[in-house]
Amino acid sequence: MMSVLPGLIRPEIADLEAYTPIVPLEVLADRLGLPVAQIVKLDANENPYGPAPAALAALQATTTYHIYPDPEQTALRMALADYTGRSPEEILCGAGADELIDLVLRLIISPGDAIIDCPPTFGMYRFDAGICGGRVISIPRRADFSLDLPAIARAAAQGAKAIFLTSPNNPTGNPLPRSELLQILELPLLVVVDEAYIEFAEPEHAPVGASDLLDRYPNLAILRTFSKWAGLAGLRVGYGLFPRWLSEQLWKIKQPYNVSVAAQAAAVASLAVADELRARVQAIVAERERLFQHLNTFPFLTPFPSVANFILCRVEGRDARELKLALERRGVLVRHYQTPLLNGYIRISVGTPAQTDALIAMLAEVTR
């Protein structure tokens, strides 16, 4: 077999550390020798209730799967305009918010340009910046996972072009205070606020998040997704609220048919029953509080308050990875990270009451 031709691969890609995704459920069930139905999956912040019945019905009723999807996402963007109160011209949809992160960075980052990253946070910002050949200025969060605002200001002064902020933050679950966001928006940066979990922080109505600031700050962009609140993670559909100067350029570089016929149909149907989905969100929020109380009873766990659909826990007096594996062998999946800042932590997604009960029972079992 011929080896790779010298100089063919971009050096920043050759040196890039691959992103580590969650192992598929069926693969892990087979590895553990357990039926899929017995697995309690609390490792990827998915919605345990799945899509709305209306979304499933829309998938079944759609008859144009042999036709390319609408490249302008017209019906979906109109429905999102009603949902968000923003103009359709400010809305661009993607194959999950992940694609929009990639599009924004490909638009603004040339090799050597820098972004600001505030770990621990979502790993795709750093990953996609690396694909573009960009530099990452890492500004670690404080011990309580709040932002280090003076350090962010210094990094902005060094010429960083953008900062990505998740609100609520993943994996820590804490919100982004409005006062801090306003300070950051005054910096000479594109400020991208990733609101993948905003519905769980504002469960009773269509979320506002930072969207009311879009008219005041032309350097603000907001990302959202249907993966969490609407239970459509497997269909990959997200959207961004962008200032028009930015959306006009993003339309130039997006793939023409990036959001599938199925994803668009299910997302439009989900927005039509948003009240029903919000009731599910409220159920998850209530279960989050019950889960937090249960986790607090284990002396080896320190759970952190969360306004998302997961809870981060510091593991005390034992190895966090070993705890994760012990639960996994019993069919309960939680997330453990290999990064230095999170090596002693696990993240637990909020499931159904029955899934919470199974988790608590297994945590009790592994400590006997």
Side-chain angles (χ1 to χ4, degrees), residues 58-75:
L59 291 171
Q60 188 172 18
T62 299
T63 60
T64 56
Y65 291 124
H66 62 299
I67 304 295
Y68 286 115
D70 175 6
E72 296 189 357
Q73 312 150 351
T74 307

Side-chain angles (χ1 to χ4, degrees), residues 127-187:
F127 178 78
D128 283 334
I131 289 176
C132 296
R135 295 183 296 112
V136 176
I137 302 174
S138 183
I139 307 296
R141 291 169 179 263
R142 301 183 188 276
D144 63 354
F145 301 124
S146 62
L147 295 170
D148 186 343
L149 293 179
I152 289 172
R154 290 193 294 272
Q158 295 172 20
K161 298 183 77 172
I163 183 171
F164 285 78
L165 301 168
T166 316
S167 180
N169 189 44
N170 174 23
T172 60
N174 55 312
L176 172 61
R178 173 61 64 100
S179 60
E180 296 186 2
L181 175 58
L182 291 175
Q183 291 183 61
I184 293 169
L185 283 166
E186 296 296 335
L187 299 173

Side-chain angles (χ1 to χ4, degrees), residues 4-11:
V4 176
L5 294 177
L8 187 62
I9 305 299
R10 289 165 47 202

Side-chain angles (χ1 to χ4, degrees), residues 23 26-34 328:
V23 177
E26 294 79 5
V27 173
L28 189 55
D30 183 65
R31 183 187 303 169
L32 295 171
L34 296 171
E328 183 179 289

